[in-house]
Amino acid sequence: MSVISIQSQVAFGHVGNSAAIFPLQMHGIDVTAVPTTLLSNRPGYPSIRGRVLDAELVADLLRGVEERGAVDSCDMILSGYLGSAEIAAVVADFVAHAKARNPALTYCCDPVLGDRDRGLFVAADIPPLVRDRLCPLADIITPNHFEFEWLCGANATTSGQVIEAAQALMACGPTTVIVTSAERSDTPDGEIETLAIERSSEGIKAWRAGTPKLPISPSGTGDLFAALLVAARVRGSNTPEALGHAVSATFAVLERTAIRGTEEMRIVESAELLVRPKRRFDPIAIRA
């Protein structure tokens, strides 16, 4: 089992590939990690060193891993923070080529664009490329609610509105849409929800998975969740099973982080919980 993960990389902390590689490996998955940035740490600290990589370098790295057979043996490609519009275009070209070369592989696009608190936090020319080039290539997309509404161009505050908007996105390519930090008007107090909507030969199906809301909001939780979801899917789980595992293991890491009182997620310390979380939050089917 193998995954090509194309995301940011930091020397200190856990975001991007620095949040995704270890959880994937803990599930027995070989990871070919291609960086889009090399930074000392995530934004939010008093200083940050390093830079977004040149698109030509990212393209060269992707060409090199293909020459080593990574595309032919790959089960899934995962992409996250891209850093520049030029890198977004490089990744789109690589995914299109990889899927043509290996039709069995799938592509999970985590469209890292922004959040409710900060709005769009990437360069203005990146979101249209993610929407118009990467999402149509994807089999699975994992936006947070803010990113989901931006991609759809519409507000979605009820289950019906989320499902309807997800279907519009599916018409352009992906068969599975996972909305993290979902903001439904009827989300139970004290919970944070993730919604999954999927198109199959049996029609549209949807599920919700809720966990207790913790008093922390560390960076990289979306990167961790996407890696755990990909790990479960690569290992053969269907969408509701993968959703349940990803939310349960993510909650376990965040609960451990809250207990420790640290800014960075306690991913390595939670190694066993990544695979076997103590608490299980099973998805509930919702009406499509």
Side-chain angles (χ1 to χ4, degrees):
M1 296 178 289
S2 64
V3 168
I4 298 173
S5 182
I6 311 168
Q7 306 192 53
S8 59
Q9 182 174 327
V10 294
F12 175 89
H14 297 290
V15 297
N17 266 337
S18 302
I21 295 171
F22 183 69
L24 285 163
Q25 291 172 332
M26 280 299 300
H27 287 80
I29 296 169
D30 285 325
V31 185
T32 300
V34 178
T36 58
T37 72
L38 286 176
L39 299 169
S40 58
N41 47 266
R42 60 170 172 81
Y45 286 99
S47 65
I48 187 169
R49 308 292 180 180
R51 63 183 178 88
V52 174
L53 298 182
D54 295 332
E56 293 81 1
L57 174 57
V58 176
D60 206 34
L61 292 172
L62 290 169
R63 189 176 305 111
V65 300
E66 180 180 2
E67 289 169 351
R68 301 285 73 75
V71 169
D72 296 328
S73 62
C74 181
D75 295 289
M76 190 176 296
I77 297 172
L78 168 64
S79 70
Y81 183 81
L82 300 169
S84 71
E86 293 78 13
I87 291 175
V90 164
V91 173
D93 289 342
F94 174 76
V95 171
H97 170 74
K99 294 189 78 171
R101 176 165 178 159
N102 178 6
L105 72 78
T106 53
Y107 170 44
C108 176
C109 175
D110 184 13
V112 181
L113 304 175
D115 57 36
R116 189 67 70 197
D117 293 336
R118 293 173 288 176
L120 292 172
F121 54 57
V122 298
D125 50 356
I126 294 177
L129 278 169
V130 172
R131 179 192 61 204
D132 299 335
R133 293 201 61 190
L134 288 171
C135 286
L137 290 168
D139 301 280
I140 304 166
I141 61 173
T142 60
N144 63 38
H145 199 106
F146 171 82
E147 293 161 342
F148 175 71
E149 289 187 333
W150 191 92
L151 291 170
C152 296
N155 293 332
T157 58
T158 67
S159 296
Q161 289 170 341
V162 171
I163 293 169
E164 182 178 357
Q167 287 182 264
L169 284 178
M170 290 174 183
C172 300
T175 57
T176 304
V177 177
I178 313 286
V179 184
T180 62
S181 300
E183 300 168 5
R184 293 193 311 147
S185 56
D186 53 351
T187 297
D189 290 341
E191 275 196 10
I192 186 166
E193 284 191 322
T194 302
L195 305 183
I197 305 93
E198 185 167 74
R199 183 185 72 234
S200 70
S201 58
E202 301 174 358
I204 300 295
K205 294 184 177 181
W207 302 268
R208 59 170 288 269
T211 64
K213 184 178 290 186
L214 296 167
I216 59 170
S217 184
S219 297
T221 55
D223 306 325
L224 172 63
F225 172 87
L228 289 165
L229 182 87
V230 165
R233 287 295 298 264
V234 168
R235 291 181 61 87
S237 294
N238 60 25
T239 293
E241 291 169 346
L243 173 63
H245 175 69
V247 298
S248 300
T250 300
F251 177 81
V253 173
L254 295 180
E255 187 175 44
R256 177 69 62 87
T257 304
I259 292 170
R260 292 287 186 263
T262 58
E263 290 192 34
E264 298 291 339
M265 291 185 292
R266 309 305 295 176
I267 291 178
V268 176
E269 185 179 317
S270 306
E272 292 186 6
L273 299 174
L274 294 169
V275 180
R276 289 175 292 276
K278 292 181 180 179
R279 296 180 65 182
R280 175 79 185 186
F281 300 94
D282 293 317
I284 299 170
I286 55 178
R287 182 170 297 178

